[in-house]
Amino acid sequence: GINAEYGGKTMFGRFSTRINKKLIPTTRTLHRFYAKPGGLSFELTEEQEALKNLARNFSRQKILPKAAELDKNGEFPKDLIKEAHELGLMNTHVGEAYGGLGLGIQESCIVAEELAYGCSGVSTAILANELAQVPVILGGSEEQKKKYLGRCVDEPISVSYAVTEPGCGSDVAGIKTKAEKQGDKWILNGQKMWITNAGHANWFFVLARTDPNAKAGKAFTGFVVEADSPGITLGRKEINMGQRASDTRGVSFDNVVVPDANRLSEVGVGFKLAMGAFDRTRPPVAASAVGLAQRALDEAIKYAKERKTMGTEIINHQAVSIMLAEMAIGIQESRLLTQLSAYEIDNGRRNTLYASMAKARAGDVANKAAADAVQIFGGNGFNTEYPVEKLMRDAKIFQIYEGTAQIQRLIITRELANLYG
């Protein structure tokens, strides 16, 4: 793993998990990264390499061959989710006390990049659980963690993070969904939109307004809501530009009764839980963008070495070669930013600045890499028989979900202002 400090010691424990009837060693300590005695290291640990190879083989052998078909029919990849769960590629960050592997965000990023290489729509369907789970990890009681995180570990279920509404995305403070206390229960009313995996969710993390007069920091409370609760209505599956294997819908809550036992932490701290989740989930999202960009580069290089014009392979033309070089530069810088943001949070430090940098840069790089791949393919790139047009459509959402590219830059500026007093 990466160590951004000098003079660190090699520290990691090992345990084994059964994967494909083989025992694969994986790491479980807080510090995922180590430094060689000589100083800074950019190598993965033996355990991380094993995890990376496992995710890579699954992505390229199982996800990639089905990607085009899933893009066309929009089917939810239940079989792939089940297999990913069996392999231990889901819920990797859930603590051992709740049945999980107890791995860090760096490991989440390793898995995310490899899965997104095969299809970022499928990887979103597989990894979206993390966003809903993190508020439970941050604010849930031991009983809530054992119940809801344990359920995710025991079965290949999907869960959803229900915060965005028809009238507010980046403006979370504008949420209108409300929860009113009645005895030992809450009555939930409102509508959510663009909720990932909603059509297949077992439970939702829902952010609702519990104090209509308070400022955002104290106005909202988070709840775990069972998906089969009376009063919940699912909208149609949205037909999106890309990542069509991911299920995205609206969700309506009409007098939904939620036990107070399903309230996460104290009343009024929901905004903090919802926003705190992003420090842990934006690095894997950035890693997914890196995976898509890497796929675009690999496809473009392969094509450029085969396609000939003017008597030579087009990779030998300066205009094409410069495009490929720029793609490679952007991918590597995005990967390093992503690793740094994961390193910081895994070592117990606030990573908001780096998480937003990684998310912003990786999203932009994925879009440019995919667009340039289409350009290098020329007319073929515009055709669905070739893979790069799908990459271009899939890439766009990386500049939108989990905070738009513009919101990331506002966060970066705010963090910089704080650093300079």
Side-chain angles (χ1 to χ4, degrees):
I2 288 179
N3 184 10
E5 299 171 347
Y6 291 92
K9 296 180 179 180
T10 301
M11 293 179 56
F12 55 88
R14 296 185 181 184
F15 73 105
S16 296
T17 182
R18 189 167 295 278
I19 298 174
N20 271 348
K21 299 182 179 180
K22 296 181 180 180
L23 292 178
I24 304 295
T26 49
T27 181
R28 66 172 179 173
T29 58
L30 172 65
H31 298 281
R32 308 291 168 216
F33 313 93
Y34 70 100
K36 293 181 178 179
L40 191 66
S41 172
F42 289 95
E43 295 181 1
L44 298 179
T45 65
E46 179 183 346
E47 292 81 4
Q48 290 170 334
E49 284 286 359
L51 181 64
K52 179 179 179 178
N53 290 334
L54 177 67
R56 174 170 293 188
N57 290 337
F58 175 66
S59 176
R60 303 191 186 195
Q61 295 174 15
K62 297 300 181 72
I63 296 178
L64 198 153
K66 295 183 178 180
E69 179 184 356
L70 291 171
D71 178 62
K72 291 178 181 177
N73 61 33
E75 289 184 5
F76 193 67
K78 290 183 179 180
D79 291 343
L80 291 173
I81 290 174
K82 181 179 180 181
E83 189 167 354
H85 185 272
E86 292 174 350
L87 290 172
L89 296 175
M90 292 180 68
N91 315 309
T92 59
H93 59 291
V94 173
E96 292 178 84
Y98 316 111
L101 299 179
L103 304 182
I105 303 304
Q106 176 67 1
E107 283 76 24
S108 295
C109 290
I110 290 170
V111 172
E113 179 177 339
E114 294 300 334
L115 297 190
Y117 185 98
C119 175
S120 61
V122 172
S123 70
T124 295
I126 291 174
L127 301 177
N129 279 13
E130 295 185 10
L131 185 55
Q133 291 166 345
V134 171
V136 179
I137 293 172
L138 295 177
S141 65
E142 284 299 303
E143 183 178 352
Q144 290 169 335
K145 292 176 183 178
K146 289 179 181 179
K147 181 177 181 179
Y148 291 107
L149 300 179
R151 191 185 295 177
C152 293
V153 173
D154 291 340
E155 299 291 337
I157 63 172
S158 296
V159 296
S160 294
Y161 178 91
V163 173
T164 299
E165 297 187 358
C168 61
S170 299
D171 181 22
V172 177
I175 284 177
K176 294 181 179 179
T177 296
K178 62 181 181 179
E180 298 177 324
K181 186 78 178 295
Q182 291 186 7
D184 61 350
K185 300 177 181 179
W186 295 82
I187 308 301
L188 189 64
N189 284 282
Q191 186 176 1
K192 301 295 183 178
M193 189 61 194
W194 308 116
I195 307 305
T196 302
N197 286 356
H200 304 270
N202 181 272
W203 55 264
F204 297 94
F205 165 75
V206 179
L207 187 66
R209 185 179 294 274
T210 49
D211 186 340
N213 300 315
K215 293 183 178 180
K218 296 183 179 180
F220 304 101
T221 302
F223 300 90
V224 176
V225 182
E226 299 280 2
D228 60 359
S229 299
I232 293 180
T233 303
L234 300 178
R236 67 178 179 87
K237 172 182 166 63
E238 299 294 333
I239 308 303
N240 293 326
M241 175 182 178
Q243 295 200 4
R244 291 174 176 169
S246 172
D247 184 273
T248 308
R249 301 173 188 249
V251 184
S252 297
F253 301 88
D254 183 13
N255 290 323
V256 175
V257 178
V258 182
D260 190 55
N262 282 33
R263 169 176 47 83
L264 294 176
S265 192
E266 301 298 324
V267 174
V269 301
F271 186 84
K272 182 178 180 180
L273 292 178
M275 296 300 100
F278 290 135
D279 285 348
R280 291 163 174 78
T281 59
R282 278 175 180 156
V285 170
S288 296
V290 172
L292 184 150
Q294 185 67 59
R295 172 78 183 285
L297 176 61
D298 289 355
E299 295 287 356
I301 290 176
K302 180 181 177 181
Y303 185 83
K305 293 179 73 174
E306 295 174 350
R307 170 71 167 155
K308 290 185 178 181
T309 66
M310 304 172 194
T312 186
E313 294 80 7
I314 63 173
I315 197 171
N316 296 320
H317 296 317
Q318 189 177 54
V320 173
S321 66
I322 289 175
M323 292 172 72
L324 293 171
E326 290 294 336
M327 291 165 70
I329 292 169
I331 291 167
Q332 190 61 20
E333 70 180 13
S334 298
R335 183 178 287 121
L336 291 172
L337 266 174
T338 299
Q339 291 172 339
L340 176 59
S341 67
Y343 172 82
E344 288 294 299
I345 196 70
D346 277 347
N347 282 278
R349 292 190 287 268
R350 187 168 179 266
N351 72 334
T352 304
L353 175 63
Y354 297 124
S356 287
M357 285 181 172
K359 170 68 166 58
R361 178 59 68 206
D364 290 350
V365 166
N367 274 267
K368 189 174 189 307
D372 284 351
V374 170
Q375 191 68 24
I376 289 169
F377 272 67
N380 289 335
F382 197 66
N383 189 278
T384 58
E385 293 299 315
Y386 293 82
V388 289
E389 64 85 25
K390 175 183 180 298
L391 297 179
M392 187 173 178
R393 289 187 287 105
D394 287 348
K396 186 56 192 175
I397 193 64
F398 287 113
Q399 292 178 317
I400 299 174
Y401 63 9
E402 291 217 27
T404 66
Q406 291 71 35
I407 287 294
Q408 301 310 316
R409 285 162 171 81
L410 292 177
I411 294 171
I412 291 167
T413 304
R414 182 193 66 198
E415 292 296 310
L416 290 174
N418 291 336
L419 283 175
Y420 284 86

